[in-house]
Amino acid sequence: MNSEDNTKKSPANVKQNSGNKLKIGYIHLSGCTGDLMSFTENYDELVDLLDAVDIVYGQTLVDCWEMPKMDIVLIEGSVCLEDEHSIKELKEAREKSDLLVALGSCACTGGFTVYAKGGQKAQPQHSSFLALQHLVKVDMAIPGCPPSPQMIKKVILAAVNNDMDYLAPFMKFTENKDACGCDLQKRIINQSICIGCGACAAACPTRAMTMKDGRPSFNCDRCVKCGLCYYQCTRSWWPIDQIKKEMGLE
C-alpha cells in the first residue's frame, strides 16, 4: 500500500495474511516517548497481548535492525522535516505495513510540536514538524497525550478480532487536521448540539477544558493539542451534515 492508496484495509484482511498472530511494529519519531511508556504499561496484561500478536520491530522493544513486513505499525511522534532519517523511516513503514496507526497526539495532528518552534528538543534547530497524515496515508489514529494503556490494548485486540465497530472512530479520527478545544467550540458548541455531559472536561489532561454553567469552557493557553476533548465528546460523531441535508439547510 502506498500513500496515495485510498482503500482502507480491514484488520480481517491483515489477519488472514499473517496467520494466527498479527505482526506488530513500533516506531518513535519526534516526541517525548510518553506513548511508548503508555504502551509498555500493559505489562500486567502482556500475556493477553502476546497471545494475540508478535512484536517484530521497535526501538527498545525488539533486537531488529532491518524493518520487516508488518501487519500493523504503531508510530509515535510527529515528523521533523529536517530529519531525513525520520522521513525515510516513516515512508518505509508505510510501504511495509498493511495498517499504519498514528499513536498519540503528535502523530495524529502534530500536537504541541506543531505549535512550538525550537528549544523543546535536544537539537533546537529541528523546528519544523508535521503530523504523519501530511506525508503518508494513515489508516487509524489513537488520540491522547498520551493515549491510555487500556485504549492501546483495546485497539490492538479489536484489530485481532476484526471488531470494526470499535475501530470505526479511530479510522474516522484520521480525517481531523487539527485537534484542540477549538474543534469542540466550532463543531459542537457553536452547532448547538452540546448536551453538557462534561466528558470533554473529564478527558482533558491539563484542565484546559472545564465546565461552566453547564457548558464547556476552553483555556487555549493550557491546551496541548491532544484532541481528547473532541474525541471523547458524545456528539463528535453526530451526523450533522446528514441532519442538515434532511432539513434542507444545505
Side-chain angles (χ1 to χ4, degrees):
M1 181 191 298
N2 57 45
S3 60
E4 297 180 354
D5 182 4
N6 292 320
T7 303
K8 290 184 181 294
K9 290 190 176 182
S10 73
N13 294 332
V14 175
K15 187 174 181 180
Q16 292 169 2
N17 292 339
S18 60
N20 294 327
K21 289 188 177 184
L22 296 184
K23 292 182 173 60
I24 302 291
Y26 184 92
I27 293 174
H28 170 74
L29 298 179
S30 295
C32 66
T33 72
D35 304 307
L36 174 61
M37 294 174 65
S38 190
F39 177 56
T40 55
E41 273 295 304
N42 282 297
Y43 64 89
D44 56 334
E45 299 174 341
L46 196 58
V47 173
D48 292 340
L49 284 177
L50 293 180
D51 280 342
V53 303
D54 283 326
I55 301 176
V56 297
Y57 184 74
Q59 302 95 323
T60 75
L61 296 177
V62 181
D63 185 13
C64 177
W65 291 96
E66 293 187 8
M67 191 181 298
K69 288 285 187 179
M70 299 168 285
D71 297 312
I72 300 176
V73 60
L74 305 172
I75 301 185
E76 170 189 2
S78 59
V79 187
C80 177
L81 297 182
E82 290 89 349
D83 188 349
E84 294 182 6
H85 173 76
S86 292
I87 296 175
K88 179 181 178 181
E89 188 174 33
L90 173 62
K91 292 183 176 180
E92 183 180 4
R94 175 69 278 179
E95 293 174 358
K96 293 187 175 180
S97 63
D98 290 303
L99 290 177
L100 189 147
V101 180
L103 179 61
S105 299
C106 287
C108 294
T109 59
F112 74 91
T113 62
V114 171
Y115 299 90
K117 295 298 181 184
Q120 81 278 13
K121 294 294 170 187
Q123 299 183 59
Q125 71 273 21
H126 285 185
S127 58
S128 299
F129 301 91
L130 286 177
L132 307 186
Q133 61 181 302
H134 294 288
L135 278 80
V136 298
K137 178 177 179 292
V138 175
D139 301 300
M140 286 193 288
I142 307 177
C145 188
S148 69
Q150 294 81 6
M151 184 183 292
I152 298 172
K153 176 189 174 184
K154 287 180 179 179
V155 167
I156 293 174
L157 293 181
V160 171
N161 296 318
N162 194 32
D163 186 350
M164 298 306 297
D165 289 336
Y166 186 84
L167 294 176
F170 298 98
M171 301 175 78
K172 180 72 173 177
F173 198 81
T174 61
E175 299 175 5
N176 283 26
K177 301 300 181 184
D178 302 298
C180 67
C182 302
D183 295 341
L184 206 71
Q185 184 70 47
K186 291 185 293 185
R187 303 179 189 179
I188 307 299
I189 301 172
N190 290 357
Q191 298 294 328
S192 298
I193 58 176
C194 173
I195 60 175
C197 68
C200 55
C204 181
T206 63
R207 296 191 62 80
M209 188 69 67
T210 57
M211 297 298 292
K212 184 176 181 180
D213 299 327
R215 286 292 180 267
S217 178
F218 174 56
N219 183 337
C220 63
D221 292 332
R222 285 178 171 265
C223 182
V224 293
K225 317 298 181 184
C226 71
L228 278 177
C229 59
Y230 182 78
Y231 182 82
Q232 293 293 344
C233 176
T234 57
R235 291 299 180 93
S236 61
W237 312 111
W238 194 255
I240 187 67
D241 293 336
Q242 182 63 28
I243 293 173
K244 287 182 177 181
K245 181 178 181 181
E246 293 179 1
M247 293 177 64
L249 299 178
E250 60 177 37

